[in-house]
Amino acid sequence: MSKGTLVVISGFSGVGKGTIVHELLNRYDNYKLSVSATTRKPRDGEEDGRDYFFISHDEFDDMIACDKLIEYAKYVDNYYGTPRDYVENELEAGNNVILEIEIQGAGKIKKKHPESLLIFVAPPSAKELHNRLLSRGTETPEVIRSRMRRAIEESEGIENYDYIVVNDNLNRCVEEINNMIELQKNKVSRQLTYIKKIQSELREYWKGE
Ligand code: 5GP
């Protein structure tokens, strides 16, 4: 069985990437979402083990020391990281694994896994992004300000992604992203076993003619 695709989905805070990821998991088989570890406190309604593994700074440091994270980054005032075992096992089992992570982590993943697919979800406008953050109602005005500020820095890293998707229509976005992931399997670099097989079959066939 061929390995699954490692898919990074990033986007400014409030852009709606969580909803997109949720829809991908609902609509299609063979997608798995990696649950990150974070030192951030849970928001109302968030569950340990489902939304994040909420851990202390010391526990986070231990995970780094034991090489249990594929990547980690500091975002605003907290640390976030991707646990290694889950990702590697699911890819091996042929599933596409989604990492919903910020831009520094995305860069680290591309370096370690050049075959990964990096997708950036962007809003139709800056004003729309601000409105979405306000209407979510989960953050203080101060946090919203720091997230809008962070968006400026993140916008400078979009060029390092493979694809950008503007989230103005949820259905279209989800379909487009699924198509990108499906197409990724057809990359020549992912089909080396098949290529070897057809080359050797052709040679054998020629001998038998
Ligand atoms: P939030 O606090 O809104 O849940 O997440 C803040 C940012 O951290 C988001 O951009 C989210 O995608 C990112 N993030 C979540 N988990 C990880 C992770 O494991 N690694 C990295 N690098 N970023 C993450």
Side-chain angles (χ1 to χ4, degrees), residues 17 36 40 43 52 71 73 75 80-82 100-102 105 147:
K17 43 186 196 307
S36 297
R40 167 166 83 61
R43 296 190 189 117
Y52 281 106
E71 63 72 38
Y75 179 90
Y80 297 81
T82 305
E100 196 196 313
I101 64 177
E102 55 64 71
R147 288 184 173 220

Side-chain angles (χ1 to χ4, degrees), residues 105-156:
K108 292 179 195 161
I109 291 289
K110 194 67 173 181
K111 272 207 190 104
K112 282 194 197 159
H113 298 266
E115 75 295 352
S116 60
L117 182 66
L118 268 52
I119 300 173
F120 196 89
V121 182
S125 67
K127 186 170 192 324
E128 176 67 24
L129 181 69
H130 193 211
N131 286 343
R132 287 185 197 179
L133 274 173
L134 289 172
S135 64
R136 193 155 81 171
T138 46
E139 265 88 22
T140 60
E142 198 185 314
V143 171
I144 291 177
R145 256 184 75 77
S146 55
R147 288 184 173 220
M148 286 300 290
R149 176 78 192 78
R150 171 75 183 220
I152 301 174
E153 287 158 36
E154 293 200 320
S155 70
E156 274 148 28

Side-chain angles (χ1 to χ4, degrees), residues 23-185:
E23 280 302 306
L24 280 170
L25 295 170
N26 264 351
R27 288 190 202 179
Y28 307 102
D29 292 334
N30 74 340
Y31 279 112
K32 298 282 173 184
L33 176 64
S34 158
V35 177
S36 297
T38 183
T39 58
R40 167 166 83 61
K41 297 276 167 287
R43 296 190 189 117
D44 277 355
E46 283 185 333
E47 241 177 63
D48 187 44
R50 185 194 66 188
D51 299 289
Y52 281 106
F53 296 106
F54 295 101
I55 61 177
S56 66
H57 274 96
D58 285 350
E59 286 168 319
F60 202 93
D61 286 344
D62 282 348
M63 288 187 86
I64 297 172
C66 300
D67 200 24
K68 286 192 171 160
L69 299 173
I70 311 184
E71 63 72 38
Y72 66 93
K74 190 172 184 204
Y75 179 90
V76 186
D77 287 326
N78 290 296
Y79 286 92
Y80 297 81
T82 305
R84 178 185 303 285
D85 286 357
Y86 179 83
V87 173
E88 291 181 350
N89 293 342
E90 292 298 341
L91 287 175
E92 210 51 58
N95 290 312
N96 301 321
V97 180
I98 302 179
L99 309 183
E100 196 196 313
I101 64 177
E102 55 64 71
I103 214 153
Q104 302 166 49
K108 292 179 195 161
I109 291 289
K110 194 67 173 181
K111 272 207 190 104
K112 282 194 197 159
H113 298 266
E115 75 295 352
S116 60
L117 182 66
L118 268 52
I119 300 173
F120 196 89
V121 182
S125 67
K127 186 170 192 324
E128 176 67 24
L129 181 69
H130 193 211
N131 286 343
R132 287 185 197 179
L133 274 173
L134 289 172
S135 64
R136 193 155 81 171
T138 46
E139 265 88 22
T140 60
E142 198 185 314
V143 171
I144 291 177
R145 256 184 75 77
S146 55
R147 288 184 173 220
M148 286 300 290
R149 176 78 192 78
R150 171 75 183 220
I152 301 174
E153 287 158 36
E154 293 200 320
S155 70
E156 274 148 28
I158 300 177
E159 281 91 349
N160 300 326
Y161 281 69
D162 296 307
Y163 292 100
I164 179 163
V165 180
V166 176
N167 184 13
D168 48 6
N169 175 309
L170 178 65
N171 265 330
R172 191 180 47 75
C173 264
V174 172
E175 278 172 22
E176 275 181 14
I177 292 178
N178 181 55
N179 290 341
M180 290 165 189
I181 298 167
E182 281 298 306
L183 276 177
Q184 189 75 355
K185 285 197 202 113

